[in-house]
Amino acid sequence: MKIAFIGTYPPRKCGIGTFTNNLVKAIHANTENNRIADTAMVVAINENGSQYEYPEEVKHIIRQNHQRDYVHAAKVINYSDTEVCILEHEFGIFGGDDGVFILPLIHRLEIPLIVTFHTVLKDPTYTQRSIVREIGKKAARIVVMSRRAVDFLEEIYEIPKEKIALIEHGVPEFEQISREVAKEKHGLKNRKVLLTFGLLSRNKGIETVLNALPPVVKKHPDLLYVVLGATHPSVYKISGDEYRNYLKRLVKNLNLGKNVFFNNDFVSEAKLFEYLTASDIYITPYLSEAQITSGTLSYAVGAGCAVVSTPYWHAQELLDNNRGRLFSFKNSEELSNILLELLGDDTAMETLRNNAFEYGKKIRWPKIGKQYLYVAEYVLDNWEKETEPRKLSIDVSLMPSYNLSHIKRLTDDTGIVQHAKYGIPNLKEGYCMDDNSRALIMTLMAWRRNKDKEALSLMPIYLSFIHYMQRENGNFRNFLSFNRQFLDEYGTEDSFGRTIWALGYLVRFAPNDAFKQIGREIFLNSVPHFDHIETIRGAANTTIGISYYLKDSQNDEGMVNALKKLCDKLTQAYYDTSSDDWQWFENQMTYDNAILPLALFTAYEVTGVEEYFDIAMKTTRFLESVVFRSEFLIPVGNQGWYHRGEKVPEFDQQSIDVMAMILLYYQVFQITKEKSYIDKMFTSYLWFLGENSLRLPLFDHETMGCCDGLESQGINRNQGAESTLAYWISHLTVLAAQEKEHILENI
C-alpha cells in the first residue's frame, strides 16, 4: 500500500512536520519497501514565501494561503498511485480562517481519508467547530492521541465514536547512553540539570519555573535549568525574541545568571535525546489545561525522564500511575517544593524514571507506525466510495490565479490612476478618491486572504491618498491631477460614502495598529458630514462603512444612531416608491444597484432591526428578477438606465454592478446560510469570465486587468482602475465565500 500524507515536513522547522516525518518512517519500517518514496507520497504545506529542499518522497507543495493550491493538490493525489490519504491536522498550518482551506481539498479526494487531530478544543469557535465536524463527515477514521480527545470529539463535535481511533504520540528509538556520558558530552558534568524544550512562546510558562528556582538554587547551587529550543517561527515574525528577552531580564533580576542557560537552537532528535538523558528532571510548565497533545511530553516519557508538569490534559493522562508529578498552573511555590523533594530523594526520582521508561516502550515509533498501518489497511478494505460526490457551488479551478500586476501597473507613489488606454495607465486623467478607496478595500481583502506582502506594501499608498484628500472640515475632495493639483473642492456623496466604506473596513480589518489608528482618525473626522448626506447611494455606501466600524467598536451608541438615520433614508425611499410590481427605492434602476439592499443587510447584521432585513430581501428579489432574465447575469445597462414601466437596457454593462451583486449575495448567504445565494454569487462572478450577453470574457489573462465594460458592439478594451478593482474585489469575495461554503451549507 502507498499512502499520501498531507502536512508540514522537514526541513521546515515545525512540530507537525517532525511528527509527519516520523510517522512516514514508522509506517515504512513496517513494510518491505526499499525506498520511503515507495511507501509514501508527501504533500507538504509551505508558509508564504518559503522554499525548502525536500526529500524525494515530497511530490507536491501547497502554499499555505493559496486556495487554488489545495484544489490542485486533491487532483495530484487522485491521479497518483496512492490508496489512502493521511492528513495531519492543526488549525494554524492551513490557510484561511482557522485553516478552512483544507476543506475543499478533502472533499475532492477520491481515496479514503484518515485524519490525525493534533488539537481538539474544548471551547471551539463557531468556525473551528464547523471545520472539525466537516472533517468528521469526510474522514473514514479520525486518530487522536488521548482519551480526553476521544470524549471531546464525541460530545462537543458529535463525531461517532466508532470513527475514532486512539493512537498515542510516538517517540523515537535511540541508542541508550548513561546520564553521566550525556552530561559530559554537553558540558553539564557535576550539575543537577532541569530541562524544558520546545519552540518558545508565551504560553510555555517558563517564568513559572524561573520564579520557583531561587529557594532550590539556595540548597542546590550546582543546579542548571536548560531552556532548549528556538522561538516559534510564527511568534518570531510578529514579536521577535521579545519573550526570550523578557525571560533573560527575569533571570537577571532573580540573580540566576549561573543557573539558567538558554539554547535557542532547533535541535535534531538525536541531540534532543542526549539532553533528555542528561536531565535530572524534565519540566513542562504550560499555562493552560487546554493542551490535548504534547509531543515534548511524550518524548520526555519515552526517554525515561523524571517529569514534573502542570496538569494540562495530556499530562494528566500520560503522567498517571506515578509516571510523573503535577503542580498547579503558575504555582511557582508548589513547583519549588516538588523540585526540592525530588532532588533530595534519588529513590523517588528513579521510580519516576523507571515507570516512564517502561511506558515509553509501548509508544516507540515502529509500534505506532504499525497501528497506523493497520488502520489504513482496515479503512481501505471497508471504505465505500461516494457514488456522487457533493457538488460545490464554487469551482476555484475556473478562476484565474491571484495576481496584482495590473493593479501595480496602475499605481504610483501618489495613488492608483483612474483610467487606462488598453492595459497602459492613462496619466492624463489623474486620480480619484473612488478608486483609491476601492484599492484600499481590495488590498485589505488580499492581505486577509493571502497574507500577500505586495498588497500590504500598496496599502499605505492608498491610505495616504485618502488622508491627503481629506479637507480640514473632514470632508473629502475626489479628483487629483497627475501633477497633484486638486480638481474639485468637494467630491460627490458617492465618493464620500465609498471612502467611509474603505475606512470602516480598515478599522475592522487593519493589518496592524498603526493603520487602524490613522484609519479611525480619518473616519471620525468625517462623522459631522454624515447628517448632510441626501442621496441614497451616498447613504448606502456610508452605511456599509459604519457597519464595519461598529463591528470593531460595538458600544458606540452615537455611531449606531448615525447608522439608523442613514438607513431611514433608504427605508423611506423604498416606502415612497415601491408598489406590488415595483419593489425598489427609486423609479429607475441606474448604477451600483445592489449596493442599496446590501447596505440594509449590513445594517441589519449589526443592529438586528428586522425592517432592514425585510426591505433588503424584497428589493434583492426584485433586482434578481431584472438582472437574471437569462441563465447568466445581465446587469442594468448604462444606455438610458431602466425606468419604471420601460424596457431594461442591456448595454453598456459595467463591472461595478457585477461586483455589487457578488457582494450582495455573499452578505445574504452569511445572514441566511442558504446555499442558493452562493450559486447566484458564482454565476454573477462568471460574468467576468465570459458568461454574459456577448459570451466574451472581460478579464484579461495577459495583463491581469479587467476591461471597462460590455458594449453592444463588443468589449471596451480599456482596463482602468474601477473595472480592475471591481474584478479583484469580486475574485477575493468568491474565495472568501468558498471558504465558508463547506462550513455553512448544512446549517
Side-chain angles (χ1 to χ4, degrees), residues 437-645:
S437 296
R438 292 189 190 101
L440 180 59
I441 292 172
M442 188 278 297
T443 50
L444 287 163
M445 293 175 71
W447 175 251
R448 288 186 67 206
R449 188 74 25 224
N450 304 323
K451 294 296 180 284
D452 178 27
K453 292 182 180 179
E454 285 187 340
L456 185 64
S457 69
L458 291 170
M459 228 176 275
I461 297 174
Y462 308 134
L463 182 55
S464 178
F465 183 91
I466 292 172
H467 178 256
Y468 183 62
M469 298 293 279
Q470 186 172 42
R471 303 199 62 174
E472 290 183 4
N473 65 2
N475 207 334
F476 301 95
R477 303 177 192 270
N478 190 10
F479 296 109
L480 185 73
S481 70
F482 182 66
N483 61 357
R484 297 189 181 183
Q485 298 298 309
F486 295 121
L487 299 178
D488 56 6
E489 291 298 313
Y490 295 102
T492 63
E493 290 189 1
D494 281 15
S495 171
F496 179 90
R498 290 185 184 116
T499 305
I500 299 305
W501 181 347
L503 292 169
Y505 195 85
L506 172 63
V507 171
R508 178 74 175 93
F509 296 116
N512 57 52
D513 188 63
F515 280 35
K516 172 175 279 195
Q517 294 310 321
I518 189 172
R520 186 188 300 276
E521 180 181 312
I522 300 170
F523 181 97
L524 293 176
N525 286 342
S526 69
V527 169
H529 299 278
F530 292 178
D531 287 339
H532 305 301
I533 294 173
E534 298 294 335
T535 64
I536 59 172
R537 281 171 181 77
N541 282 291
T542 305
T543 293
I544 296 169
I546 296 174
S547 297
Y548 279 118
Y549 177 89
L550 286 171
K551 288 179 181 179
D552 185 76
S553 307
Q554 299 175 4
N555 298 320
D556 191 332
E557 289 299 324
M559 203 62 68
V560 172
N561 292 333
L563 177 75
K564 289 181 177 179
K565 286 182 181 179
L566 292 168
C567 288
D568 287 345
K569 295 183 184 299
L570 291 167
T571 56
Q572 192 59 49
Y574 169 79
Y575 291 131
D576 290 345
T577 308
S578 64
S579 63
D580 290 343
D581 62 349
W582 186 264
Q583 294 285 308
W584 198 241
F585 304 90
E586 302 171 292
N587 285 313
Q588 63 280 332
M589 282 187 165
T590 56
Y591 62 95
D592 226 1
N593 295 301
I595 292 298
L596 304 178
L598 171 62
L600 290 177
F601 278 125
T602 58
Y604 166 75
E605 196 174 22
V606 295
T607 65
V609 176
E610 291 290 340
E611 179 188 26
Y612 302 161
F613 178 82
D614 292 341
I615 294 175
M617 284 302 300
K618 290 175 182 177
T619 51
T620 295
R621 293 190 185 108
F622 181 69
L623 178 60
E624 285 179 334
S625 71
V626 174
V627 299
F628 274 106
R629 306 185 300 279
S630 184
E631 70 273 14
F632 48 81
L633 177 72
I634 309 175
V636 173
N638 284 4
Q639 288 183 354
W641 310 123
Y642 172 33
H643 294 272
R644 192 171 187 167

Side-chain angles (χ1 to χ4, degrees), residues 336-400:
S336 292
N337 293 333
I338 292 173
L339 293 176
L340 286 167
E341 176 191 339
L342 291 177
L343 290 171
D345 189 344
D346 291 341
T347 301
M349 275 210 290
E350 197 60 32
T351 299
L352 292 180
R353 289 173 185 148
N354 290 336
N355 291 344
F357 186 75
E358 287 301 313
Y359 191 83
K361 291 178 181 178
K362 302 175 183 178
I363 55 175
R364 298 282 190 257
W365 267 119
K367 293 182 178 179
I368 297 300
K370 190 171 185 178
Q371 293 180 56
Y372 270 92
L373 189 57
Y374 172 78
V375 171
E377 290 170 346
Y378 178 85
V379 162
L380 182 61
D381 291 341
N382 293 276
W383 181 65
E384 294 183 7
K385 187 175 181 179
E386 297 176 10
T387 52
E388 280 191 35
R390 185 167 48 179
K391 186 178 182 298
L392 301 170
S393 301
I394 297 171
D395 186 351
V396 179
S397 66
L398 297 178
M399 302 174 68

Side-chain angles (χ1 to χ4, degrees), residues 59-98:
K59 301 298 184 185
H60 191 70
I61 293 169
I62 293 174
R63 294 167 295 175
Q64 180 177 344
N65 292 303
H66 290 251
Q67 276 173 281
R68 288 169 59 90
D69 286 8
Y70 292 83
V71 175
H72 184 59
K75 293 180 180 179
V76 170
I77 294 171
N78 290 336
Y79 294 151
S80 73
D81 57 350
T82 58
E83 298 177 89
V84 174
C85 179
I86 296 179
L87 167 69
E88 301 303 327
H89 183 271
E90 177 66 73
F91 292 109
I93 67 173
F94 305 113
D97 291 343
D98 295 310

Side-chain angles (χ1 to χ4, degrees), residues 11 62 160 215 227 263 274 327 344 353 494 555 601 654 661 683 720-721:
I62 293 174
V227 181
N263 183 336
E274 291 171 359
F327 67 97
R353 289 173 185 148
D494 281 15
N555 298 320
F601 278 125
Q654 300 295 309
M661 290 299 298
T683 300

Side-chain angles (χ1 to χ4, degrees), residues 194-198 203-209 225-226 276 281-289 291 293-301 305-316 318-319 324-330 335 339:
L194 311 181
L195 175 67
T196 296
F197 85 90
N203 63 351
K204 297 300 183 184
I206 306 298
E207 61 273 21
T208 304
V209 183
Y225 178 39
V226 178
L276 288 169
I281 298 175
Y282 180 77
I283 308 174
T284 54
Y286 302 159
L287 299 179
S288 167
E289 69 172 358
Q291 181 145 344
T293 305
S294 170
T296 62
L297 182 64
S298 296
Y299 275 39
V301 169
C305 292
V307 180
V308 178
S309 175
T310 49
Y312 54 90
W313 294 324
H314 194 206
Q316 290 177 36
L318 199 53
L319 301 184
R325 295 284 297 274
L326 300 177
F327 67 97
S328 304
F329 296 107
K330 302 181 182 180
L335 175 58
L339 293 176

